[in-house]
């Protein structure tokens, strides 16, 4: 049974990845050169979906909240930022190489890989000499620490003094702007700063499509509180994040909130909750919520020599604010939205002979996230219909993402729109010329109704609100 479900899941991932390429959502990066490991490009529909997710997040986490402001910090920052944050010293993975087959492994990953061997005892301390290459059984090198930050050089000289990093997380840009934001925006604690942006980690192991890539995008909030109030705001953000998961269409049964025990938390964090998701490749991390105390601002105060103390304008109390951090990945959000929306209908939903397939795929995306909201389909490539259809597409295009499509049979065109998650298809037929009405088809119920062209605006306003 377990073996079978594993296979179904693997197939689901493969089928989804193939669909996303075929329908213009996600392509392997540099595809004509054979691709590059674990890098992906968002195609015409993928960029719409991704932008819709980012817009929805910004609206919910930043714009609609009176105590939130936004920021867009530079990717390349002063290298001292990453000394202060501990990334230069500690953002490392332990590496070992196989002397025989030259493969490279994360030392900590060898433990589970060897767990099945007789004599394995997970309580024992880790000695590389006790382990062999899980691939060929060869001897392993000593453990070396490998820093996960991408390095480059600023300016014309490739020397240590010019060394900079691509940011490994977006949070750093928020911490170092705390003072600028307080001074310029007249905000009183508690308040937060939200940011969406790219981050880079030179991961040793990349895996599972867009789940773990070396270049990725984050949506992060750093919320500044008085230390007495951290629990209250931690719980508030927890609820906001749960609501976000619901909005994305994540089923409760696929989502698991893990309270991270003290022994596994970062030393400065007093509470961390991981949002884990049941991906087809196993239960893994989706989002995180952490209470980071005053660690970040204290570190940056120490390394910059600038006071990051906050003075409450009413009570005149001086203190370093504490931080609650809801951290969400854009690419993982895209992945879970697609996994939740991907629906196969064995045997198909339609009975029209030409379009009947053994298997139909519908992407049941939330309306707000669908890359195309309305497809405009003239029944035939006759000029009278095409002219009307294009006029309707132009008009609706002012308010909605529309796609005009006149190629192939109507059944085939419906299938294509179902596969990309378009909520409504609008068909212009020969009756349209006389009755000035069109047929609107609902993606999920497949119900069709006749709507007058002049009422379309109102019709969709109701549907999409
Ligand atoms: Zn080996």
């Amino acid at each position: 049974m377990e073996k079978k479900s594993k296979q179904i899941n693997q197939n689901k991932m493969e089928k989804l990845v193939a669909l996303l390429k075929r329908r213009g959502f996600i392509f392997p990066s540099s595809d004509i050169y054979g691709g590059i490991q674990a890098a992906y490009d968002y195609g015409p529909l993928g960029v719409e979906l991704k932008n819709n997710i980012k817009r929805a997040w910004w609206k919910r986490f930043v714009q609609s909240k009176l105590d939130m402001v936004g920021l867009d910090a530079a990717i390349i920052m002063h290298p001292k930022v990453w000394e202060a944050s501990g990334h230069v010293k500690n953002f490392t993975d332990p590496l070992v190489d196989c002397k025989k087959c030259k493969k490279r492994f994360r030392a900590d990953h060898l433990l589970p890989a060897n767990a099945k061997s007789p004599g394995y005892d997970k309580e024992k301390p880790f000695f590389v000499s006790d382990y062999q290459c899980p691939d060929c059984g060869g001897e392993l090198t000593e453990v070396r620490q490998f820093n996960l930050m991408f390095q480059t050089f600023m300016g014309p000289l490739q020397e240590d003094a010019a060394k900079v990093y691509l940011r490994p997380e977006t949070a750093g840009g928020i911490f170092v702007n705390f003072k600028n934001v307080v001074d310029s925006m007249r905000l009183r604690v508690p308040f937060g700063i939200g940011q969406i942006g790219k981050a880079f980690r030179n991961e040793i192991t990349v895996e599972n499509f867009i789940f773990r890539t070396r270049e990725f995008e984050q949506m992060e909030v750093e919320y500044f509180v008085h230390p007495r109030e951290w629990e209250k705001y931690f719980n508030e953000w927890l609820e906001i994040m749960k609501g976000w998961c619901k909005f994305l269409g994540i089923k409760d049964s696929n989502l698991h909130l893990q309270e991270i025990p003290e022994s596994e938390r970062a030393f400065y964090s007093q509470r961390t909750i991981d949002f884990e998701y049941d991906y087809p490749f196993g239960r893994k991390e989706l989002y995180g919520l952490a209470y980071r105390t005053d660690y970040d601002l204290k570190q940056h105060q120490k390394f910059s020599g600038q006071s990051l103390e906050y003075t409450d304008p009413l009570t005149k109390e001086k203190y370093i604010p504490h931080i609650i951090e809801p951290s969400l990945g854009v690419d993982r959000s895209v992945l879970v939205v697609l996994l939740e929306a991907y629906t196969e209908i064995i045997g198909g939903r339609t009975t029209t002979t030409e379009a009947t397939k053994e298997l139909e795929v519908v992407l049941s995306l939330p309306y707000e996230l669908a890359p195309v909201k309305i497809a405009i389909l003239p029944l035939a490539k006759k000029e009278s219909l095409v002219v009307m259809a294009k006029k309707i597409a132009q008009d609706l295009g002012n308010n909605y993402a529309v796609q005009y499509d006149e190629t192939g049979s109507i059944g085939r065109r419906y299938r294509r729109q179902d596969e990309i998650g378009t909520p409504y298809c609008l068909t212009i037929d020969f009756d349209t010329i006389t009755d000035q009405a069109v047929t609107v088809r609902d993606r999920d119920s497949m119900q069709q109704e006749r709507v007058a062209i002049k009422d379309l605006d109102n019709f969709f306003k109701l549907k999409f609100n």
Side-chain angles (χ1 to χ4, degrees):
M1 243 350 241
E2 196 181 302
K3 200 175 169 189
K4 198 179 171 194
S5 84
K6 203 172 171 185
Q7 196 171 13
I8 290 168
N9 279 332
Q10 199 182 348
N11 287 344
K12 182 178 178 182
M13 211 46 211
E14 280 167 17
K15 282 190 277 191
L16 179 67
V17 171
L19 173 82
L20 295 176
K21 186 177 181 193
R22 190 170 75 242
R23 290 288 177 231
F25 280 85
I26 299 175
F27 307 128
S29 169
S30 321
D31 206 10
I32 59 167
Y33 288 95
I36 178 166
Q37 193 195 24
Y40 296 92
D41 297 342
Y42 287 83
L45 297 190
V47 68
E48 295 293 339
L49 172 62
K50 192 179 176 192
N51 281 342
N52 289 343
I53 288 174
K54 288 194 277 183
R55 249 194 302 271
W57 183 87
W58 193 259
K59 200 164 91 190
R60 284 165 176 76
F61 283 70
V62 182
Q63 269 181 342
S64 69
K65 291 176 73 30
L66 296 177
D67 53 352
M68 284 292 301
V69 291
L71 181 78
D72 184 12
I75 285 173
I76 295 175
M77 303 179 70
H78 196 294
K80 269 199 149 177
V81 170
W82 308 115
E83 281 176 42
S85 67
H87 282 83
V88 170
K89 211 170 157 193
N90 301 322
F91 195 49
T92 56
D93 273 346
L95 267 190
V96 291
D97 291 299
C98 170
K99 289 179 182 169
K100 204 164 134 198
C101 74
K102 308 292 175 204
K103 270 212 178 131
R104 186 161 283 185
F105 304 94
R106 265 176 65 172
D108 51 332
H109 282 184
L110 287 180
L111 291 151
N114 279 277
K116 288 192 188 92
S117 63
Y120 170 79
D121 179 359
K122 73 177 164 78
E123 300 301 325
K124 261 199 216 155
F126 180 81
F127 295 112
V128 169
S129 52
D130 293 345
Y131 294 91
Q132 286 109 36
C133 170
D135 279 19
C136 76
E139 201 186 324
L140 300 169
T141 62
E142 280 305 304
V143 177
R144 288 173 297 119
Q145 293 299 327
F146 171 77
N147 196 290
L148 298 183
M149 283 196 291
F150 276 94
Q151 300 178 6
T152 186
F153 299 95
M154 196 98 148
L157 293 175
Q158 297 210 355
E159 57 183 26
D160 269 2
K163 193 160 87 182
V164 290
Y165 305 98
L166 302 187
R167 64 180 176 200
E169 59 180 28
T170 54
I174 299 180
F175 301 141
V176 302
N177 275 295
F178 169 72
K179 193 173 152 47
N180 281 336
V181 172
V182 167
D183 290 349
S184 60
M185 301 303 291
R186 302 168 310 281
L187 288 162
R188 187 172 174 225
V189 170
F191 75 89
I193 304 175
Q195 177 170 229
I196 300 177
K198 291 235 171 163
F200 303 81
R201 292 177 190 178
N202 201 2
E203 302 275 2
I204 299 157
T205 334
V206 281
E207 53 183 346
N208 297 316
F209 193 43
I210 55 171
F211 173 77
R212 194 186 305 284
T213 51
R214 296 191 174 97
E215 173 182 348
F216 58 99
E217 209 164 0
Q218 293 183 305
M219 308 182 280
E220 287 193 310
V221 167
E222 304 301 326
Y223 195 79
F224 303 95
V225 300
H226 190 286
R228 268 197 312 269
E229 294 190 308
W230 76 267
E231 274 173 306
K232 177 182 165 203
Y233 293 105
F234 188 95
N235 289 327
E236 260 189 45
W237 282 107
L238 183 60
E239 290 309 310
I240 293 171
M241 288 176 73
K242 284 185 196 165
W244 170 256
C245 291
K246 203 157 251 144
F247 160 70
L248 294 185
I250 298 176
K251 284 184 257 327
D252 286 346
S253 56
N254 286 335
L255 189 67
H256 308 278
L257 270 56
Q258 296 291 352
E259 188 80 47
I260 305 301
E262 194 181 347
S263 59
E264 290 170 30
R265 284 196 302 259
F267 68 90
Y268 47 78
S269 175
Q270 287 188 19
R271 193 176 177 197
T272 300
I273 291 180
D274 275 356
F275 282 57
E276 295 185 343
Y277 179 78
D278 289 325
Y279 299 90
F281 42 85
R283 186 176 296 180
K284 286 172 190 287
E285 197 190 324
L286 171 61
Y287 302 140
L289 175 64
Y291 167 43
R292 301 178 59 91
T293 65
D294 55 0
Y295 174 76
D296 306 286
L297 290 184
K298 267 197 173 150
Q299 283 295 102
H300 287 296
Q301 174 170 280
K302 188 170 139 197
F303 277 74
S304 69
Q306 301 265 332
S307 169
L308 297 181
E309 207 172 51
Y310 167 80
T311 308
D312 189 283
L314 298 181
T315 65
K316 306 295 173 201
E317 188 189 353
K318 281 182 193 295
Y319 62 96
I320 303 260
H322 284 219
I323 288 175
I324 313 287
E325 181 190 70
S327 179
L328 298 85
V330 176
D331 309 272
R332 283 182 194 179
S333 302
V334 171
L335 182 57
V336 296
V337 162
L338 288 165
L339 284 167
E340 290 287 349
Y342 183 86
T343 315
E344 287 181 346
I345 295 135
I346 295 156
R349 304 193 294 178
T350 38
T351 47
T352 48
T353 46
E354 195 190 351
T356 299
K357 282 185 188 175
E358 281 194 355
L359 186 98
E360 280 182 29
V361 172
V362 182
L363 273 191
S364 311
L365 294 169
Y367 284 7
E368 192 176 333
L369 302 181
V372 177
K373 306 288 191 246
I374 308 163
I376 318 287
L377 317 172
L379 190 64
K381 257 194 260 184
K382 289 274 173 353
E383 209 200 326
S384 52
L385 298 189
V386 166
V387 168
M388 287 188 91
K390 284 194 171 160
K391 170 81 171 63
I392 294 170
Q394 282 286 331
D395 289 347
L396 287 173
N398 290 324
N399 294 319
Y400 304 98
V402 301
Q403 192 176 74
Y404 174 84
D405 186 5
E406 57 176 31
T407 60
S409 74
I410 194 71
R412 237 173 253 286
R413 281 181 276 167
Y414 282 155
R415 293 293 84 68
R416 277 205 291 265
Q417 296 300 331
D418 287 345
E419 282 192 351
I420 65 171
T422 306
Y424 292 99
C425 286
L426 195 154
T427 310
I428 293 91
D429 54 31
F430 292 101
D431 290 339
T432 306
I433 301 166
T434 48
D435 71 357
Q436 294 291 308
V438 295
T439 301
V440 179
R441 172 187 177 272
D442 182 298
R443 174 193 72 195
D444 302 314
S445 69
M446 295 211 309
Q447 295 284 325
Q448 304 200 359
E449 55 184 305
R450 200 76 183 160
V451 181
I453 294 172
K454 65 173 172 49
D455 296 335
L456 282 173
D457 229 23
N458 267 332
F459 177 85
F460 286 120
K461 221 175 257 167
L462 287 172
K463 293 290 185 192
F464 287 110
N465 277 333

